Amino acid sequence: KHTYNRIVFRIPQTGIQGKFSMNYLLARAIIDGKVGLDIFTDSAVRDQNILKLAERVRMNLDNNLKKTDAAGRPCRVTIRLKNGQTLSREAQHAKGGPEFPMTEAELRGKFNECARQAIDEKSAARALDYIEGLEGLQDVKPLCEILKG
């Protein structure tokens, strides 16, 4: 119910609305194979191939889904294929939280995707090297200089 009440846009008109549109998010995940920062732009939410699939997505509240623990946010995604076959998957926790953490590779990828919004690839790699060795740094000034851009 927590997520259901916050995902309020059926078809987004802006990049920000795209963050709150299950139709759009699922269509992007299916077509692109991932959800990244680059899909939350005004031009990205106008992609006709994505919108065509997003129109076919329905989100329903299922009160029969129960939490397995206090932090749970249970959900189920079911996809019906053209041949009539259905694929379904349930989850209790979003990827990236303490209950379902990202791998080291996923964390590095997420950092690079975010950092590349502000600094170049070489600077992002250097910043990550500093961050991964943060406990041993004598001075954080070089890291701060990289992050300033």
Side-chain angles (χ1 to χ4, degrees), residues 5-21:
N5 291 329
R6 287 162 177 75
I7 305 295
V8 296
F9 297 100
R10 180 161 160 63
I11 301 299
Q13 302 299 309
T14 66
I16 295 295
Q17 288 180 5
K19 294 179 179 187
F20 302 95
S21 170

Side-chain angles (χ1 to χ4, degrees), residues 111-126:
F111 173 83
N112 283 322
E113 181 181 14
C114 293
R116 294 286 290 118
Q117 302 294 308
I119 57 179
D120 64 43
E121 188 173 340
K122 184 177 175 184
S123 296
R126 284 187 17 240

Side-chain angles (χ1 to χ4, degrees), residues 102-114 128 132:
M102 290 183 183
T103 66
E104 290 295 321
E106 289 169 330
L107 282 171
R108 285 186 190 95
K110 180 82 170 186
F111 173 83
N112 283 322
E113 181 181 14
C114 293
L128 187 55
E132 288 179 332

Side-chain angles (χ1 to χ4, degrees), residues 1 7 9 11-12 27 29 43 71-72 92 105 110 125 128-130 136 139 144-145 149:
K1 203 169 192 177
I7 305 295
F9 297 100
I11 301 299
S43 60
Q92 279 288 322
K110 180 82 170 186
L128 187 55
D129 287 341
Y130 278 116
D139 185 3
C144 293
E145 291 298 319

Side-chain angles (χ1 to χ4, degrees), residues 6-141:
R6 287 162 177 75
I7 305 295
V8 296
F9 297 100
R10 180 161 160 63
I11 301 299
Q13 302 299 309
T14 66
I16 295 295
Q17 288 180 5
K19 294 179 179 187
F20 302 95
S21 170
M22 188 61 68
N23 300 54
Y24 177 71
L25 293 167
L26 284 174
R28 276 287 176 189
I30 291 167
I31 291 175
D32 296 345
K34 66 182 182 103
V35 173
L37 292 176
D38 57 331
I39 72 162
F40 299 117
T41 65
D42 291 350
S43 60
V45 300
R46 293 187 193 105
D47 183 318
Q48 291 305 304
N49 289 327
I50 301 297
L51 295 178
K52 191 171 146 183
L53 180 57
E55 288 284 351
R56 299 176 65 196
V57 173
R58 288 191 331 255
M59 185 172 82
N60 302 307
L61 181 60
D62 184 347
N63 288 314
N64 294 320
L65 290 173
K66 302 296 181 203
K67 292 182 178 188
T68 57
D69 58 63
R73 290 193 182 157
C75 68
R76 179 186 312 114
V77 174
T78 301
I79 299 174
R80 278 184 207 66
L81 303 177
K82 286 182 180 180
N83 68 7
Q85 181 183 6
T86 61
L87 306 171
S88 189
R89 181 152 185 209
E90 289 186 25
Q92 279 288 322
H93 303 284
K95 182 75 170 185
E99 300 83 9
F100 188 24
M102 290 183 183
T103 66
E104 290 295 321
E106 289 169 330
L107 282 171
R108 285 186 190 95
K110 180 82 170 186
F111 173 83
N112 283 322
E113 181 181 14
C114 293
R116 294 286 290 118
Q117 302 294 308
I119 57 179
D120 64 43
E121 188 173 340
K122 184 177 175 184
S123 296
R126 284 187 17 240
L128 187 55
D129 287 341
Y130 278 116
I131 291 167
E132 288 179 332
L134 198 59
E135 310 83 33
L137 287 182
Q138 298 294 319
D139 185 3
V140 295
K141 189 174 182 177

